[in-house]
Amino acid sequence: MTTHQLEVTHRRIVTPAVFRTTIHHVRHAPVHHEFSYRQPMWLVDVDALPQVARPFDLLLRFDARDHLGDPLATIRANVDAHLADAGIERPARVLMLANPRSLGHGFNPITVFWCSDRDGVLVAVVAEVHNTYGGRHCYLVQPERLGQDAVDGALDKELYVSPFFPVDGRYDMRVAEPRDGLDVAIALRRDGAVVFEASLRAEAATAVRRPLVTALRHPASSWWVTARIRVQGIRLWRRLPIVPRPVRT
C-alpha cells in the first residue's frame, strides 16, 4: 500500500486520512454559473478524533459546536442521539468527513457521517448541511438494503443555504462509502427540473501519521472555504435578486 491509498481491511478504513477533494457546483437556473475548487478534507473516526497538544490545537480541532446536536456533548453522542430519534440503533462505527476548526473558525458546507454496524455494513448516512448564517440541517439517508456501498435518497429541502434560492424543492442525494476515493453528489430539483448540482469527489487519500504536520500543510481550511463561498456569492449578487432569509422562530 502506498501513502496515497487508504487501508481497507474487512470493510474497515484506517483513519485519520486526508482526501484532496474536488468540489464542483453548477447552477442551471435562473442563470448558469459554474465553478470548481480543490479542498483537503479529513476523514476521521468520531471515537478516535485526531488531537494535538496546546497551543497547537488552534490549528486542528474537531468540536461538537461545529456540528449537529448539543455543543457541550461529544460528536459521537450527538450522532447517536440523532439516529436514535429516527429509530436507528447505535452504530458500531461512525466516520466523519469534515474540515477541522482552525485559527478560531470551523465551517463545513457539508459534513458527512457514515454509520456502520459491527460487521462494517453501512446502516445510515447523515449529511449535515451548513449555511454561512450559522444554520444547519441534517438529512438522514438509509440504504434500501444492507450491504450497499452507497445510499440514495430524495429529501425535501429544509435549510436556507443560498441567498439566491428559496427554501423549497427536493434534494436528490447519492453518497458512496469512502474507500480509495470519495463520491458525494447532490442535485436540487424545483418543479421537477434540476436547478443546482454539487459534487464532492476524490480519487485517493493520504493516511495521517502526524496530525500536526498534516494540519500545517493544510492551514486554515475552514477560512478558505468561507472565503470562496463569499466570492461566488458576490459574483452572483450582480446577476440575481436576493431571496430574503426566513426569520428563525
Side-chain angles (χ1 to χ4, degrees):
M1 186 196 76
T2 70
T3 58
H4 295 287
Q5 294 176 318
L6 281 178
E7 300 174 39
V8 183
T9 305
H10 300 299
R11 303 178 67 92
R12 291 185 64 85
I13 299 169
V14 174
T15 56
V18 170
F19 283 95
R20 297 178 180 275
T21 68
T22 297
I23 297 169
H24 186 65
H25 286 196
V26 184
R27 181 183 295 267
H28 297 287
V31 300
H32 183 85
H33 184 71
E34 185 171 354
F35 66 93
S36 297
Y37 61 89
R38 301 294 300 274
Q39 176 69 34
M41 294 189 72
W42 290 65
L43 183 73
V44 297
D45 187 322
V46 298
D47 290 320
L49 294 171
Q51 295 183 356
V52 295
R54 293 182 179 179
F56 301 107
D57 59 345
L58 289 173
L59 299 173
L60 177 67
R61 291 180 62 90
F62 291 95
D63 279 358
R65 58 179 158 165
D66 298 322
H67 301 286
L68 74 170
D70 183 354
L72 299 180
T74 64
I75 295 174
R76 164 58 115 152
N78 287 334
V79 172
D80 290 348
H82 186 75
L83 295 177
D85 287 342
I88 300 173
E89 292 184 3
R90 185 180 190 272
R93 194 182 196 202
V94 177
L95 296 182
M96 177 176 74
L97 181 74
N99 297 304
R101 170 171 285 266
S102 180
L103 299 178
H105 183 56
F107 179 70
N108 289 273
I110 186 170
T111 303
V112 183
F113 299 91
W114 287 270
C115 308
S116 304
D117 65 16
R118 67 181 62 185
D119 296 319
V121 176
L122 188 67
V123 296
V125 169
V126 178
E128 181 185 21
V129 177
H130 301 77
N131 63 29
T132 56
Y133 309 101
R136 63 173 66 117
H137 184 78
C138 290
Y139 297 91
L140 175 64
V141 191
Q142 292 180 261
E144 293 183 1
R145 63 181 187 278
L146 293 181
Q148 285 182 293
D149 292 333
V151 296
D152 298 86
L155 304 144
D156 289 339
K157 181 181 178 182
E158 301 284 352
L159 179 69
Y160 179 88
V161 180
S162 166
F164 310 106
F165 276 133
V167 184
D168 65 4
R170 286 175 69 80
Y171 286 127
D172 292 335
M173 293 189 182
R174 178 171 176 78
V175 184
E177 276 197 87
R179 296 298 183 85
D180 289 334
L182 283 177
D183 188 2
V184 177
I186 301 174
L188 173 63
R189 291 183 180 272
R190 299 184 67 214
D191 299 323
V194 175
V195 295
F196 174 80
E197 294 177 276
S199 63
L200 188 160
R201 294 189 170 94
E203 294 183 355
T206 302
V208 175
R209 309 301 182 191
R210 293 179 291 176
L212 178 57
V213 172
T214 301
L216 289 170
R217 289 173 179 165
H218 307 292
S221 57
S222 288
W223 286 105
W224 282 110
V225 170
T226 302
R228 288 180 177 118
I229 290 173
R230 299 295 190 195
V231 168
Q232 297 302 326
I234 291 170
R235 290 176 177 174
L236 282 169
W237 173 69
R238 299 172 179 175
R239 305 164 65 190
L240 291 172
I242 299 291
V243 176
R245 180 158 43 109
V247 176
R248 292 184 180 181
T249 58

mmCIF file of all heavy atoms in Angstrom, residues 95-119:
data_model
loop_
_atom_site.group_PDB
_atom_site.id
_atom_site.type_symbol
_atom_site.label_atom_id
_atom_site.label_comp_id
_atom_site.label_asym_id
_atom_site.label_seq_id
_atom_site.Cartn_x
_atom_site.Cartn_y
_atom_site.Cartn_z
ATOM 1 N N LEU A 95 -17.813 7.278 10.818
ATOM 2 C CA LEU A 95 -16.761 8.031 10.144
ATOM 3 C C LEU A 95 -17.309 9.394 9.749
ATOM 4 O O LEU A 95 -18.448 9.502 9.270
ATOM 5 C CB LEU A 95 -16.276 7.299 8.893
ATOM 6 C CG LEU A 95 -15.612 5.941 9.106
ATOM 7 C CD1 LEU A 95 -15.154 5.370 7.757
ATOM 8 C CD2 LEU A 95 -14.434 6.042 10.059
ATOM 9 N N MET A 96 -16.505 10.418 9.938
ATOM 10 C CA MET A 96 -16.927 11.784 9.625
ATOM 11 C C MET A 96 -15.963 12.403 8.613
ATOM 12 O O MET A 96 -14.748 12.342 8.781
ATOM 13 C CB MET A 96 -16.948 12.632 10.897
ATOM 14 C CG MET A 96 -17.303 14.100 10.652
ATOM 15 S SD MET A 96 -17.451 15.097 12.178
ATOM 16 C CE MET A 96 -15.712 15.275 12.637
ATOM 17 N N LEU A 97 -16.539 13.005 7.579
ATOM 18 C CA LEU A 97 -15.764 13.772 6.610
ATOM 19 C C LEU A 97 -16.017 15.243 6.876
ATOM 20 O O LEU A 97 -17.160 15.712 6.796
ATOM 21 C CB LEU A 97 -16.190 13.426 5.182
ATOM 22 C CG LEU A 97 -15.426 14.154 4.069
ATOM 23 C CD1 LEU A 97 -14.021 13.585 3.915
ATOM 24 C CD2 LEU A 97 -16.190 14.069 2.749
ATOM 25 N N ALA A 98 -14.954 15.996 7.205
ATOM 26 C CA ALA A 98 -15.155 17.392 7.599
ATOM 27 C C ALA A 98 -13.843 18.163 7.525
ATOM 28 O O ALA A 98 -12.749 17.580 7.499
ATOM 29 C CB ALA A 98 -15.709 17.468 9.017
ATOM 30 N N ASN A 99 -13.990 19.482 7.529
ATOM 31 C CA ASN A 99 -12.853 20.361 7.762
ATOM 32 C C ASN A 99 -12.718 20.568 9.267
ATOM 33 O O ASN A 99 -13.727 20.745 9.963
ATOM 34 C CB ASN A 99 -13.078 21.738 7.120
ATOM 35 C CG ASN A 99 -13.199 21.669 5.620
ATOM 36 O OD1 ASN A 99 -12.313 21.164 4.942
ATOM 37 N ND2 ASN A 99 -14.301 22.207 5.085
ATOM 38 N N PRO A 100 -11.509 20.588 9.800
ATOM 39 C CA PRO A 100 -11.350 20.852 11.233
ATOM 40 C C PRO A 100 -11.490 22.337 11.546
ATOM 41 O O PRO A 100 -11.360 23.191 10.661
ATOM 42 C CB PRO A 100 -9.914 20.382 11.502
ATOM 43 C CG PRO A 100 -9.207 20.585 10.201
ATOM 44 C CD PRO A 100 -10.221 20.315 9.132
ATOM 45 N N ARG A 101 -11.775 22.640 12.785
ATOM 46 C CA ARG A 101 -11.699 24.021 13.259
ATOM 47 C C ARG A 101 -10.224 24.430 13.286
ATOM 48 O O ARG A 101 -9.366 23.695 13.787
ATOM 49 C CB ARG A 101 -12.312 24.133 14.650
ATOM 50 C CG ARG A 101 -12.092 25.454 15.358
ATOM 51 C CD ARG A 101 -12.904 25.540 16.624
ATOM 52 N NE ARG A 101 -14.306 25.768 16.288
ATOM 53 C CZ ARG A 101 -14.867 26.980 16.229
ATOM 54 N NH1 ARG A 101 -14.149 28.059 16.483
ATOM 55 N NH2 ARG A 101 -16.139 27.102 15.926
ATOM 56 N N SER A 102 -9.934 25.621 12.759
ATOM 57 C CA SER A 102 -8.549 26.081 12.696
ATOM 58 C C SER A 102 -8.513 27.594 12.845
ATOM 59 O O SER A 102 -9.321 28.310 12.233
ATOM 60 C CB SER A 102 -7.906 25.680 11.355
ATOM 61 O OG SER A 102 -6.570 26.109 11.285
ATOM 62 N N LEU A 103 -7.614 28.076 13.680
ATOM 63 C CA LEU A 103 -7.450 29.511 13.915
ATOM 64 C C LEU A 103 -8.785 30.163 14.280
ATOM 65 O O LEU A 103 -9.140 31.224 13.784
ATOM 66 C CB LEU A 103 -6.835 30.183 12.678
ATOM 67 C CG LEU A 103 -5.444 29.668 12.277
ATOM 68 C CD1 LEU A 103 -4.960 30.359 11.011
ATOM 69 C CD2 LEU A 103 -4.445 29.871 13.416
ATOM 70 N N GLY A 104 -9.525 29.483 15.146
ATOM 71 C CA GLY A 104 -10.746 30.044 15.688
ATOM 72 C C GLY A 104 -11.968 29.951 14.801
ATOM 73 O O GLY A 104 -13.011 30.524 15.129
ATOM 74 N N HIS A 105 -11.885 29.216 13.706
ATOM 75 C CA HIS A 105 -13.021 29.157 12.780
ATOM 76 C C HIS A 105 -13.260 27.717 12.348
ATOM 77 O O HIS A 105 -12.329 27.007 11.959
ATOM 78 C CB HIS A 105 -12.717 30.015 11.542
ATOM 79 C CG HIS A 105 -13.840 30.095 10.559
ATOM 80 N ND1 HIS A 105 -15.105 30.527 10.888
ATOM 81 C CD2 HIS A 105 -13.887 29.797 9.233
ATOM 82 C CE1 HIS A 105 -15.872 30.512 9.817
ATOM 83 N NE2 HIS A 105 -15.168 30.064 8.799
ATOM 84 N N GLY A 106 -14.518 27.298 12.426
ATOM 85 C CA GLY A 106 -14.889 25.979 11.949
ATOM 86 C C GLY A 106 -16.108 26.080 11.064
ATOM 87 O O GLY A 106 -17.152 26.597 11.490
ATOM 88 N N PHE A 107 -15.998 25.637 9.822
ATOM 89 C CA PHE A 107 -17.135 25.703 8.910
ATOM 90 C C PHE A 107 -17.038 24.605 7.869
ATOM 91 O O PHE A 107 -15.974 24.364 7.288
ATOM 92 C CB PHE A 107 -17.198 27.054 8.191
ATOM 93 C CG PHE A 107 -18.342 27.139 7.216
ATOM 94 C CD1 PHE A 107 -19.649 27.204 7.668
ATOM 95 C CD2 PHE A 107 -18.110 27.127 5.855
ATOM 96 C CE1 PHE A 107 -20.710 27.263 6.778
ATOM 97 C CE2 PHE A 107 -19.161 27.184 4.952
ATOM 98 C CZ PHE A 107 -20.464 27.256 5.417
ATOM 99 N N ASN A 108 -18.175 23.937 7.642
ATOM 100 C CA ASN A 108 -18.290 22.904 6.614
ATOM 101 C C ASN A 108 -19.584 23.122 5.850
ATOM 102 O O ASN A 108 -20.666 23.029 6.456
ATOM 103 C CB ASN A 108 -18.327 21.503 7.242
ATOM 104 C CG ASN A 108 -16.997 21.088 7.808
ATOM 105 O OD1 ASN A 108 -16.155 20.534 7.117
ATOM 106 N ND2 ASN A 108 -16.797 21.364 9.096
ATOM 107 N N PRO A 109 -19.541 23.407 4.554
ATOM 108 C CA PRO A 109 -20.786 23.449 3.797
ATOM 109 C C PRO A 109 -21.560 22.142 3.929
ATOM 110 O O PRO A 109 -22.788 22.143 4.010
ATOM 111 C CB PRO A 109 -20.309 23.679 2.354
ATOM 112 C CG PRO A 109 -18.985 24.355 2.498
ATOM 113 C CD PRO A 109 -18.382 23.750 3.724
ATOM 114 N N ILE A 110 -20.818 21.027 3.962
ATOM 115 C CA ILE A 110 -21.436 19.734 4.223
ATOM 116 C C ILE A 110 -20.477 18.888 5.052
ATOM 117 O O ILE A 110 -19.265 18.885 4.819
ATOM 118 C CB ILE A 110 -21.815 19.000 2.919
ATOM 119 C CG1 ILE A 110 -22.589 17.710 3.221
ATOM 120 C CG2 ILE A 110 -20.593 18.730 2.064
ATOM 121 C CD1 ILE A 110 -23.208 17.060 2.008
ATOM 122 N N THR A 111 -21.034 18.227 6.060
ATOM 123 C CA THR A 111 -20.320 17.217 6.830
ATOM 124 C C THR A 111 -21.043 15.896 6.599
ATOM 125 O O THR A 111 -22.274 15.858 6.677
ATOM 126 C CB THR A 111 -20.328 17.542 8.335
ATOM 127 O OG1 THR A 111 -19.761 18.836 8.542
ATOM 128 C CG2 THR A 111 -19.527 16.514 9.115
ATOM 129 N N VAL A 112 -20.301 14.846 6.311
ATOM 130 C CA VAL A 112 -20.918 13.547 6.057
ATOM 131 C C VAL A 112 -20.508 12.573 7.150
ATOM 132 O O VAL A 112 -19.324 12.456 7.484
ATOM 133 C CB VAL A 112 -20.514 12.985 4.678
ATOM 134 C CG1 VAL A 112 -21.235 11.664 4.409
ATOM 135 C CG2 VAL A 112 -20.834 13.991 3.578
ATOM 136 N N PHE A 113 -21.516 11.870 7.712
ATOM 137 C CA PHE A 113 -21.279 10.837 8.705
ATOM 138 C C PHE A 113 -21.721 9.495 8.123
ATOM 139 O O PHE A 113 -22.898 9.327 7.782
ATOM 140 C CB PHE A 113 -22.075 11.104 9.985
ATOM 141 C CG PHE A 113 -21.746 12.396 10.676
ATOM 142 C CD1 PHE A 113 -22.449 13.553 10.380
ATOM 143 C CD2 PHE A 113 -20.748 12.461 11.636
ATOM 144 C CE1 PHE A 113 -22.167 14.749 11.016
ATOM 145 C CE2 PHE A 113 -20.448 13.656 12.285
ATOM 146 C CZ PHE A 113 -21.159 14.801 11.976
ATOM 147 N N TRP A 114 -20.796 8.554 8.008
ATOM 148 C CA TRP A 114 -21.118 7.190 7.582
ATOM 149 C C TRP A 114 -21.230 6.328 8.835
ATOM 150 O O TRP A 114 -20.279 6.234 9.621
ATOM 151 C CB TRP A 114 -20.027 6.630 6.679
ATOM 152 C CG TRP A 114 -19.998 7.206 5.296
ATOM 153 C CD1 TRP A 114 -20.669 6.747 4.195
ATOM 154 C CD2 TRP A 114 -19.225 8.332 4.838
ATOM 155 N NE1 TRP A 114 -20.366 7.513 3.089
ATOM 156 C CE2 TRP A 114 -19.498 8.489 3.459
ATOM 157 C CE3 TRP A 114 -18.342 9.221 5.467
ATOM 158 C CZ2 TRP A 114 -18.901 9.496 2.699
ATOM 159 C CZ3 TRP A 114 -17.766 10.230 4.719
ATOM 160 C CH2 TRP A 114 -18.050 10.356 3.353
ATOM 161 N N CYS A 115 -22.359 5.684 9.030
ATOM 162 C CA CYS A 115 -22.638 4.923 10.246
ATOM 163 C C CYS A 115 -22.746 3.440 9.895
ATOM 164 O O CYS A 115 -23.586 3.055 9.069
ATOM 165 C CB CYS A 115 -23.928 5.413 10.881
ATOM 166 S SG CYS A 115 -23.973 7.217 11.132
ATOM 167 N N SER A 116 -21.914 2.620 10.528
ATOM 168 C CA SER A 116 -21.836 1.200 10.180
ATOM 169 C C SER A 116 -22.032 0.324 11.405
ATOM 170 O O SER A 116 -21.765 0.744 12.542
ATOM 171 C CB SER A 116 -20.462 0.890 9.559
ATOM 172 O OG SER A 116 -20.218 1.710 8.437
ATOM 173 N N ASP A 117 -22.479 -0.916 11.171
ATOM 174 C CA ASP A 117 -22.648 -1.861 12.269
ATOM 175 C C ASP A 117 -21.325 -2.560 12.565
ATOM 176 O O ASP A 117 -20.287 -2.247 11.972
ATOM 177 C CB ASP A 117 -23.780 -2.850 11.973
ATOM 178 C CG ASP A 117 -23.489 -3.771 10.791
ATOM 179 O OD1 ASP A 117 -22.313 -3.878 10.362
ATOM 180 O OD2 ASP A 117 -24.448 -4.392 10.284
ATOM 181 N N ARG A 118 -21.344 -3.517 13.480
ATOM 182 C CA ARG A 118 -20.105 -4.167 13.929
ATOM 183 C C ARG A 118 -19.424 -4.973 12.831
ATOM 184 O O ARG A 118 -18.231 -5.279 12.916
ATOM 185 C CB ARG A 118 -20.393 -5.064 15.134
ATOM 186 C CG ARG A 118 -21.272 -6.271 14.829
ATOM 187 C CD ARG A 118 -21.517 -7.079 16.092
ATOM 188 N NE ARG A 118 -22.224 -6.285 17.083
ATOM 189 C CZ ARG A 118 -22.467 -6.728 18.318
ATOM 190 N NH1 ARG A 118 -22.044 -7.917 18.712
ATOM 191 N NH2 ARG A 118 -23.134 -5.959 19.161
ATOM 192 N N ASP A 119 -20.173 -5.322 11.773
ATOM 193 C CA ASP A 119 -19.595 -6.042 10.638
ATOM 194 C C ASP A 119 -19.100 -5.101 9.548
ATOM 195 O O ASP A 119 -18.666 -5.555 8.483
ATOM 196 C CB ASP A 119 -20.624 -7.008 10.043
ATOM 197 C CG ASP A 119 -21.016 -8.102 11.025
ATOM 198 O OD1 ASP A 119 -20.120 -8.619 11.720
ATOM 199 O OD2 ASP A 119 -22.222 -8.424 11.099
#
